[in-house]
Amino acid sequence: MLDFEITPRIRDCLQDEPIFSDPLLAKYREESAKVIPFDVLLSMVEILQKGTGDVRYFHQLIEGSTVVHPIIEEPPSDLSPQQQAEKEARLIRLKAEQEHRDYLRMTKNIQSDRKHMETLNAGRELQGAKDAISIGINMIVSAVTLFVAGYWGFNKAFGDQIMGYIGGIACAIIILLAEGWLFIIRATDIDQNAEKREKREKHNISISTLNSSNSTSVTAVNSPLLTRST
């Protein structure tokens, strides 16, 4: 029940006996009375609105008053001080165990996703090394092939071995420049694709982490272990 503190205004209104002739209100006129129930105040307002006084509304009647919260006394415990201390220690231990389980559950997806990312990064590094070796071998083979072809062609055309060497070197340089340009284009495309994949994977990890945190919070609130303990 909601009680209000009896203020001088409320007491003055109660002293108007012709209006408040109800015997049940008599106890609230006494100086020893400190609080008055909410429903009694409503009844007083109904009576006051029929009169001609200044106080006619509820907010005017309770001006200066405060809500009095009832003091709830805990029932005496049947446990001895030692048993009470053991119970509190057990509750603390159970709470710590529950928080540890929640932490492991929350970080489980993060750890698995992190391992997955490490595996993907290692695979990309290995694939990158293989691609670099393959491109290097391809450039060497292409340069040697074009050098031989240029040497043979220029030597055949000019009948001079020096012109053959010059033609072979020129062809080798041209193919190296072309291979280098193509390598830069391919490397740029690979880096862009890798960056997009990394952003997408980080986004997926963030979503999975958020879902795990939400489920952990719900589990902690509805934990039967702590419910039984309390």
Side-chain angles (χ1 to χ4, degrees), residues 4-60:
F4 284 81
E5 178 187 4
I6 297 180
T7 61
R9 169 170 292 187
I10 295 175
R11 201 178 301 278
D12 291 341
C13 291
L14 288 171
Q15 297 302 329
D16 193 353
E17 296 186 5
I19 299 178
F20 299 103
S21 58
D22 191 342
L24 296 177
L25 298 176
K27 62 180 180 180
Y28 299 114
R29 299 191 186 99
E30 300 176 0
E31 293 294 332
S32 60
K34 301 298 181 182
V35 295
I36 185 170
F38 174 71
D39 54 349
V40 175
L41 290 175
L42 291 180
S43 300
M44 290 178 61
V45 171
E46 293 178 359
I47 298 174
L48 289 171
Q49 288 179 348
K50 298 177 182 178
T52 59
D54 296 334
V55 179
R56 296 176 57 83
Y57 299 100
F58 183 78
H59 69 278
Q60 295 175 331

Side-chain angles (χ1 to χ4, degrees), residues 110 113 199-213:
I110 299 176
D113 291 335
K199 288 182 179 179
R200 187 164 55 250
E201 289 167 358
K202 287 182 179 180
H203 179 68
N204 293 335
I205 290 175
S206 300
I207 293 176
S208 62
T209 303
L210 180 61
N211 293 335
S212 177
S213 301

